[in-house]
Amino acid sequence: MKAFTRLDGRAAPLELANIDTDQIIPKQFLKTVEREGLAKGLFYDFRFDGDGNEISDFVLNKPEYKGASVLIAGDNFGCGSSREHAPWALMDFGIMCVISTSFADIFFNNCFNNGLLPVIVKPEELAALMDEAKGGNHMVSVDLEAQTVVSPSGKTFAFQIDPVRKEKMLKGLDAIGETLQHGGDIDVFESKRAISQPWLEV
């Protein structure tokens, strides 16, 4: 998993609450377990019409938000089914941080497991970030070490994060990477077990 320390990028405002995982990545794109290639399905029913043409007034289709790496979203983002494809699709599209007032629990956990940073801010702070992102300057800074979001105008908003999850994000550790940090201890344990219980090695 790639480490997340600080992100300076373009922010796209998605002024919709209760965006569920089927809206993030519709079911027809769930036929793969590969993380690459899912960007084409991200917000598919918002981005494209019935003929597959881009819907020009959807935020991520607007020229000024092309290449956005931060999504500023409405309340209860990521609700619905527990598909891990949702954070995969966001990251494949280039979104590395989602800012909202709240997230569905399973989506929230899946984000940390895959290196996508979910940031929770107060309603008035989200409104301020939304308003600024709709202006002429869309650049924001998200600093995980400092636990701050800096708006285009320079306003700073602090956010809270579990310290264990923060450390793992900073180091780029998923569950497997965290386990491999104890590789030496695991090797010692397996060697001792092979001697004391050799029948398990067959």
Side-chain angles (χ1 to χ4, degrees):
M1 192 171 79
K2 185 178 179 181
F4 189 115
T5 52
R6 177 187 170 114
L7 174 63
D8 299 307
R10 184 174 289 114
L14 183 61
E15 293 186 281
L16 294 171
N18 303 311
I19 293 291
D20 64 36
T21 51
D22 190 53
Q23 292 169 312
I24 297 173
I25 182 73
K27 59 184 180 300
Q28 64 267 32
F29 297 100
L30 305 184
K31 298 176 183 178
T32 178
V33 292
E34 299 295 329
R35 302 186 185 197
E36 296 181 358
L38 290 172
K40 63 183 178 183
L42 181 70
F43 297 121
Y44 190 85
D45 295 329
F46 293 146
R47 290 169 57 207
F48 303 100
D49 63 21
D51 296 320
N53 301 309
E54 279 196 358
I55 299 172
S56 61
D57 61 352
F58 180 63
V59 61
L60 294 178
N61 288 340
K62 294 181 178 181
E64 59 268 36
Y65 297 109
K66 293 288 186 181
S69 56
V70 179
L71 187 67
I72 303 173
D75 191 53
N76 195 31
F77 188 83
C79 55
S81 62
S82 60
R83 61 193 65 174
E84 198 165 11
H85 292 68
W88 291 355
L90 286 160
M91 296 178 71
D92 194 46
F93 193 82
I95 303 293
M96 301 306 297
C97 174
V98 180
I99 302 173
S100 182
T101 50
S102 71
F103 296 90
D105 286 344
I106 295 175
F107 175 82
F108 189 72
N109 292 331
N110 282 338
C111 285
F112 284 108
N113 290 336
N114 289 281
L116 174 66
L117 179 64
V119 170
I120 297 175
V121 295
K122 298 174 183 176
E124 62 272 19
E125 296 172 339
L126 187 75
L129 287 166
M130 282 277 194
D131 286 342
E132 288 198 39
K134 290 185 289 186
N137 182 358
H138 318 296
M139 300 302 292
V140 301
S141 294
V142 181
D143 191 324
L144 178 55
E145 183 66 56
Q147 296 180 207
T148 58
V149 177
V150 180
S151 75
S153 69
K155 295 177 183 176
T156 300
F157 305 112
F159 63 88
Q160 299 300 312
I161 184 172
D162 176 82
V164 175
R165 283 176 160 165
K166 175 182 177 179
E167 188 69 13
K168 288 171 66 175
M169 289 282 286
L170 288 170
K171 292 180 177 178
L173 294 174
D174 58 13
I176 294 174
E178 185 178 22
T179 301
L180 290 176
Q181 285 193 307
H182 304 283
D185 293 333
I186 293 171
D187 290 341
V188 170
F189 171 82
E190 289 183 340
S191 296
K192 289 181 178 178
R193 190 191 64 180
I195 295 171
S196 64
Q197 299 172 300
W199 58 89
L200 294 178
E201 301 300 309
V202 177

